[in-house]
DNA sequence: ACGCCTTGTTGACCTTCGGTTAGTAAGCGC
DNA sequence: GCGCTTACTAACCGAAGGTCAACAAGGCGT
């Protein structure tokens, strides 16, 4: 009788903590099933909050999904910055190795990032921004001031190559060994760039 | 007064004609805006029919979208089959050239196919089926009976390379010339496969 | 201890979506 | 003309994304 009027008190969280919790919940659900098959109500329920609060933290479903990937994209992008004083080949090798290491550690996020790249315009631009930026840096490092269209194609193509090879690599249970894959990737860029000069 | 009861007669079309019309309408709308931003009601309205009829022809939105891409995927897949009696390099060159030709002629469908590749599971599997099949054929032609994991990565990666390079090519206004791009593509496969043996 | 005030949080509400179905009419064969 | 097949419509449904006024948790000054 005593608790008839207990309106189920809720816990008040700090903004950043709540935001983080929502992102994690969303990431989990979106990874398990696709973007389309997860509803905002569901995310809210899984996080133990109301739908309204979810919309208080994120302006919409797309934005929420994109935010879910943003962190991964940021990390991935950060890995490609290398010490510019080192020889080009060493920089490349180091960057590729770091990339592979991250993928190994976050294979789920990586696969989700790629597979949902085309789904929404927001995510597509997210992936494209990372790729374009990386491509620009590589092109600049390779082609000097005035890079040829062919070189641009080669570098852009190579970035796709990397993702295709990595996806296949993950799917095949991380075979061949990481060092071998790294060599393949680095070697292919060298070859493609050489062909495109 | 006379036409007060004219319940707006509708035109009856043959099944295949109607189906084709719907696919074309859908393709147009989906290309203009994304998958998410086009509603089934909208498609029906644009085609001048009821939503119910649209659902009579296609079991759901995803299936409709996939059907919209199916034709393109079929054509693209058909292009990769070559005369097995010719030398391997000639086969490859011919297939790549045909691929580039198709892309040039259907750049919109191609871009849409790639950009929405990850969106739905149906479409993803559509693209992946084409890629896997092509990869299998190339791997078989290159690696004999027991292809190494590294070779699989190389070939899969190269298929992605192709799409990345082609997308960049289209975006840059078909620069460099098609023959040059073809050489880059063929050369890169040769190099990657060589590295992966 | 108490009440105030900020703000994290709710839940009812709206519109539109994907999807279903009972029924209508076009147009062909007789 | 007449009926029969079937392309087609329109009204409908549950659930989705999205909005909003009101509520209460909990830190703060007293």
């Amino acid at each position: 009788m005593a608790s008839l009027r207990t309106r189920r008190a809720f816990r008040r969280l700090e903004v950043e903590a709540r935001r983080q919790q929502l992102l994690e919940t969303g990431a989990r659900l979106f990874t398990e099933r696709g973007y389309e098959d997860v509803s905002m109500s569901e995310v809210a329920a899984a996080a133990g909050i109301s739908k309204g609060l979810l919309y208080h933290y994120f302006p919409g479903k797309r934005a929420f999904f994109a935010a879910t990937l943003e962190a991964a994209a940021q990390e991935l992008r950060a890995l490609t910055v290398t010490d510019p004083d080192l020889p080009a080949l060493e920089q490349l090798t180091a960057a590729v190795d770091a990339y592979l290491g991250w993928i190994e550690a976050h294979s789920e996020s990586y696969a989700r990032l790629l597979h949902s790249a085309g789904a929404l315009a927001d995510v597509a631009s997210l992936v494209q921004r990372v790729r374009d930026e990386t491509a620009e840096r590589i092109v600049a490092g390779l082609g000097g001031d005035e890079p040829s269209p062919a070189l641009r194609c080669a570098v852009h193509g190579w970035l796709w190559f990397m993702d295709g090879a990595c996806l296949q690599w993950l799917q095949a249970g991380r075979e061949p060994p990481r060092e071998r894959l790294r060599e393949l990737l680095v070697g292919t860029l060298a070859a493609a760039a050489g062909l495109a000069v």
Side-chain angles (χ1 to χ4, degrees), chain A:
Chain A
M1 280 290 166
S3 61
L4 251 182
R5 255 229 158 282
T6 27
R7 297 254 299 184
R8 258 303 260 126
F10 54 85
R11 277 194 49 217
R12 226 178 137 105
L13 279 192
E14 299 231 342
V15 172
E16 202 45 45
R18 181 66 82 194
R19 199 184 141 82
Q20 214 52 41
Q21 179 212 0
L22 293 177
L23 285 176
E24 276 163 31
T25 306
R28 211 190 64 236
L29 291 179
F30 283 133
T31 305
E32 285 169 5
R33 319 200 298 289
Y35 168 82
E36 275 237 309
D37 287 336
V38 175
S39 74
M40 291 296 264
S41 316
E42 209 173 341
V43 174
I49 59 158
S50 71
K51 196 170 48 155
L53 188 57
L54 184 51
Y55 276 94
H56 173 75
Y57 280 90
F58 302 95
K61 191 184 181 185
R62 298 165 188 223
F64 177 56
F65 184 64
T68 272
L69 294 167
E70 191 87 49
Q74 287 289 1
E75 278 187 55
L76 216 37
R77 197 174 46 173
L79 289 175
T80 63
V81 293
T82 53
D83 182 356
D85 294 333
L86 265 51
L89 190 66
E90 263 182 54
Q91 280 185 55
L92 181 63
T93 306
V96 170
D97 203 52
Y99 197 85
L100 291 180
W102 190 91
I103 288 174
E104 234 179 335
H106 306 80
S107 54
E108 275 186 354
S109 292
Y110 177 71
R112 186 161 54 94
L113 186 62
L114 280 189
H115 280 136
S116 59
L120 296 333
D122 315 292
V123 183
S125 70
L126 199 119
V127 174
Q128 187 141 2
R129 217 184 324 139
V130 176
R131 276 210 261 248
D132 281 353
E133 208 173 289
T134 315
E136 216 44 54
R137 219 174 309 147
I138 296 178
V139 165
L142 285 173
D145 315 326
E146 196 60 46
S148 69
L151 184 58
R152 295 200 110 85
C153 280
V155 172
H156 269 92
W158 180 75
L159 288 174
W160 283 63
F161 182 99
M162 212 170 162
D163 289 326
C166 286
L167 233 43
Q168 167 67 26
W169 181 56
L170 290 176
Q171 207 174 317
R174 293 167 170 74
E175 287 271 1
R178 184 167 138 191
E179 297 77 28
R180 183 98 176 73
L181 179 60
R182 195 220 312 150
E183 277 172 35
L184 172 63
L185 291 170
V186 172
T188 300
L189 176 58
L195 282 164
V197 175

